[in-house]
Amino acid sequence: MVIGSRLKELRESKNFSPGDIEKRTGLFRCYISRVEHGHTVPAVSTLEKMARALEVPMYQLFHDGEAPSSVRKFKLPKDNAESWGSTGATADYLSKLRRLLAKMGPDNQKLLLHMAQKVARRS
C-alpha cells in the first residue's frame, strides 16, 4: 500500500481539504500534496500529526478495516485536557506557534525557553 494514496483517501472521506490538514498539522499544503502523490515519504512523527488531523487512529493509515483485538483495547481519551491543540482555535494557535518557532534560530529558541521557564517558576 502506498501511504500517500491512503492519506488522500482518508482526507477525502472526511471531506477535509488540503488546507484543512495544513491548519491542523502545521505542515505546508505543498508538502501534503507531495506526500499524497507519492513524491515524498513522511517521517513517523509527520504520520502521527496527519492521523491526529484526520481524527483516526494511527493504524488506519496502514490498515483498511477492523483493528486487531490488541489495538481495539486502547481507548481514546475522553478528557479534553489531553487533546488540547488537536481541534478548533487551539489547533490554529498551536499551528501558528509551531511555524513561528521553526523560523527562529537555535539561540533565540533557547532564549525563549529560558524566559518561559523563569515566568513559570514565578507562577
Side-chain angles (χ1 to χ4, degrees):
M1 170 188 285
V2 178
I3 191 70
S5 61
R6 181 71 180 143
L7 287 167
K8 185 174 182 178
E9 177 185 315
L10 286 168
R11 178 180 60 77
E12 290 174 345
S13 72
K14 298 274 188 171
N15 293 321
F16 290 149
S17 70
D20 295 333
I21 303 301
E22 177 183 33
K23 286 178 185 174
R24 291 168 167 250
T25 62
L27 302 169
F28 291 114
R29 194 177 311 189
C30 58
Y31 177 77
I32 294 165
S33 175
R34 290 185 53 78
V35 170
E36 287 183 353
H37 289 94
H39 299 292
T40 301
V41 177
V44 173
S45 60
T46 302
L47 291 174
E48 289 174 338
K49 288 179 187 178
M50 293 186 129
R52 247 182 282 126
L54 292 166
E55 300 169 347
V56 297
M58 183 103 163
Y59 80 87
Q60 283 190 357
L61 300 181
F62 306 100
H63 178 71
D64 186 19
E66 180 103 11
S69 62
S70 61
V71 176
R72 274 187 261 140
K73 290 178 187 173
F74 296 108
K75 302 275 186 209
L76 292 175
K78 292 181 181 178
D79 184 12
N80 286 339
E82 291 185 55
S83 61
W84 185 90
S86 61
T87 60
T90 56
D92 292 341
Y93 175 78
L94 194 57
S95 174
K96 288 177 188 176
L97 182 61
R98 272 192 230 127
R99 285 187 193 151
L100 292 171
L101 287 172
K103 291 179 182 179
M104 294 175 77
D107 292 335
N108 288 332
Q109 288 175 349
K110 287 180 185 176
L111 176 62
L112 182 63
L113 179 62
H114 178 72
M115 289 172 44
Q117 287 172 338
K118 283 196 171 232
V119 169
R121 283 187 202 128
R122 289 183 185 177
S123 300

